[in-house]
Amino acid sequence: MTTSKPTILIVDDEVRSLEALERNLSDEFDVQVAENTADAEQILADHWVQIILCDQRMPDKSGVEFLTEVREKWPDVIRIIISGYTDANDIISGLNEAGIFHFVTKPWHPEKLILTLRNAVSMFDLQRQNELLAIELRLSERAAKKKVGDRRQKLRESYDFEDGIVRGKSSPMNAVCNTLSQVATYDLSVLITGERGTGKALAARAIHYNSLRWNKPFAVQKCKSVPPEVLEGELFGYNKGAVPGAVQNYSGLFECSYGGTVLLDEVCDLPPEFQVKLLRALEDREIRAVGATQARGIDIRVLASSYKDLKTEVAEGRFREDLYFLLAGVTVQLPPLRDRREDIPLLANFLFKQAVANLRKDAAGFTPEAISCMKRYCWPGNVREMQNEIERMLVMGVENDLLGAELLSPKVLMSASPDEEDDVAILGVGQGTLKERVEAIEAKILRESLIRHRWNKSKASRELGLSRVGLRGKLERYQLEKKEDHA
Ligand SMILES: Nc1ncnc2c1ncn2[C@@H]1O[C@H](COP(=O)(O)OP(=O)(O)OP(=O)(O)O)[C@@H](O)[C@H]1O
Ligand SMILES: [Mg+2]
């Protein structure tokens, strides 16, 4: 670490002794000399001294006394006593009070002395590195804490009820969000139900980040297809050796989330064997790690999500009623996307921006036709399905271009014709004669093929095995034409 010559200060009242030391050491060290302790102090104040080599017997004070003072004012300096007499008491007080690195006896041997001084220099360097690292650690801990705090704040903002949960002005999601925001600040358990992909996990996060626990952990435990013994270990923790492969103690999710919120995701699939253990832990507010004898207190708010109707699960004996009441302090039902079509264009744009950021590929947005196709589709997989659809469109589309309906998957394109807002599934065309129903399906196939070929009739007729004239006839009959809907 020290690049130039290390600085050494020699303090000795005997001038001859000083000169001899200086002569021997000046090749390797930048030598400063002082005949008394006052001069020595001045040099220490003016120079960056690494090592001080001090005679023990001086007229004003002893070397150990002086180095004790040096230790207080310049604790970094490595202190060495040089002495003709090695009194045991001097050595002991030297070690204890002055923190002496070494005692050199007179007469000294030049090579041995240089070796001792080199060791002292490397000691000094190590000491400095240690101090710098300690400062770095202190700084990095502070920086890490600040980073975590900043991120939590950002997260909190992104789960704001106003814009974190995207929805239209008269969407049924408004009532849902009102309930969520009302229950958020109370330490109530909330059961969030809804079809797959409707935003149950998002609702749970929004509750947490709008609650008083927002700056504490939020954790999710999946309950589906997890064996009961694994769930127990994951949630309650385990002791070293208590479960196969446990090489050290593990604090479970409940303990790690102390003060925060835990979402039991798809709680309807919680194994019956574990339901009673969970009930006991939540009721008693304490857990016992697998293999532990002592119970430990927990402080968590529990949220649960379910894609099945949990009341039916209770009625049919698959879910404990007492656990149900404990989890469902309040129940919030998320409506499927097909019941809130007004949200679709807004969600499409929101998910598009997310996809652009995640995939680092840009596009100019959607064509009106693409939006109107999305609005008509039934989205059985709800928002998650839409998210996947949009990511795929962005990947397949031309960079910086508009994303057209032709990029949508056939199932979306095959959805209802433009004039039938509520026609949701192609084979769900449930009324009319056989001829009428077959024709309805034929119209959907034609429309899907035309959109995919960007209304290029030659390509569509080739694909469908029709002549151009034949295709035109059908288009007229079904009144199919390219419409620039402004959804
Ligand atoms: N209203 C909304 N506004 C913005 N993003 C949404 C909305 N609803 C859902 N999402 C997003 O859609 C995705 C799926 O939602 P989420 O995971 O919360 O649904 P889920 O009901 O828990 O689904 P699953 O049943 O698949 O677990 C997430 O990325 C979520 O952020
Ligand atoms: Mg989920």
Side-chain angles (χ1 to χ4, degrees), residues 301-315:
R301 179 188 196 174
V302 176
L303 305 177
S305 80
S306 172
Y307 63 96
K308 290 181 194 160
D309 178 21
L310 214 50
K311 264 193 197 145
T312 314
E313 296 300 296
V314 171

Side-chain angles (χ1 to χ4, degrees), residues 446 449-450 452-466 468 471:
L446 288 168
S449 174
L450 278 161
R452 205 155 20 78
H453 294 297
R454 297 179 182 233
W455 295 88
N456 180 321
K457 296 190 183 95
S458 312
K459 284 187 182 167
S461 56
R462 207 172 308 134
E463 178 185 84
L464 298 169
L466 295 170
R468 275 183 60 90
L471 177 68

Side-chain angles (χ1 to χ4, degrees), residues 133-320:
L133 283 175
I135 292 170
E136 284 297 301
L137 277 174
R138 270 202 303 279
L139 287 177
S140 70
E141 191 194 336
R142 219 182 306 151
K145 270 193 187 150
K146 186 170 177 328
K147 246 188 219 164
V148 169
D150 289 353
R151 286 201 170 157
R152 279 232 166 87
Q153 185 61 39
K154 272 211 181 113
L155 268 172
R156 181 173 207 201
E157 285 157 18
S158 68
Y159 289 108
D160 177 75
F161 283 119
E162 283 306 309
D163 5 270
I165 300 183
V166 177
R167 62 207 188 261
K169 280 208 172 64
S170 44
S171 163
M173 279 301 283
N174 287 304
V176 171
C177 288
N178 279 345
T179 312
L180 292 176
S181 80
Q182 273 172 346
V183 300
T185 47
Y186 300 99
D187 245 0
L188 285 169
S189 64
V190 183
L191 171 67
I192 306 159
T193 60
E195 287 180 12
R196 282 167 211 276
T198 42
K200 298 185 290 294
L202 173 68
R205 288 195 163 84
I207 291 178
H208 171 74
Y209 287 106
N210 286 281
S211 76
L212 300 176
R213 295 174 176 264
W214 73 272
N215 58 356
K216 292 283 164 22
F218 173 83
V220 182
Q221 176 64 51
K222 282 224 169 296
C223 304
K224 192 179 165 77
S225 318
V226 188
E229 60 282 3
V230 175
L231 262 179
E232 186 175 356
E234 287 294 316
L235 291 177
F236 300 171
Y238 47 75
N239 277 7
K240 185 177 168 181
V243 295
V247 285
Q248 57 192 41
N249 290 356
Y250 171 75
S251 306
L253 209 63
F254 279 1
E255 205 177 336
C256 293
S257 313
Y258 200 89
T261 308
V262 175
L263 168 65
L264 299 171
D265 202 18
E266 308 193 332
V267 80
C268 44
D269 294 325
L270 200 69
E273 306 92 305
F274 187 64
Q275 289 179 18
V276 65
K277 284 191 178 168
L278 178 65
L279 174 77
R280 209 167 296 141
L282 296 180
E283 268 179 351
D284 300 347
R285 293 174 183 271
E286 60 176 32
I287 47 164
R288 200 194 316 266
V290 182
T293 45
Q294 289 266 313
R296 267 180 275 194
I298 51 170
D299 172 16
I300 48 164
R301 179 188 196 174
V302 176
L303 305 177
S305 80
S306 172
Y307 63 96
K308 290 181 194 160
D309 178 21
L310 214 50
K311 264 193 197 145
T312 314
E313 296 300 296
V314 171
E316 295 181 359
R318 284 186 294 271
F319 203 88
R320 289 183 69 101

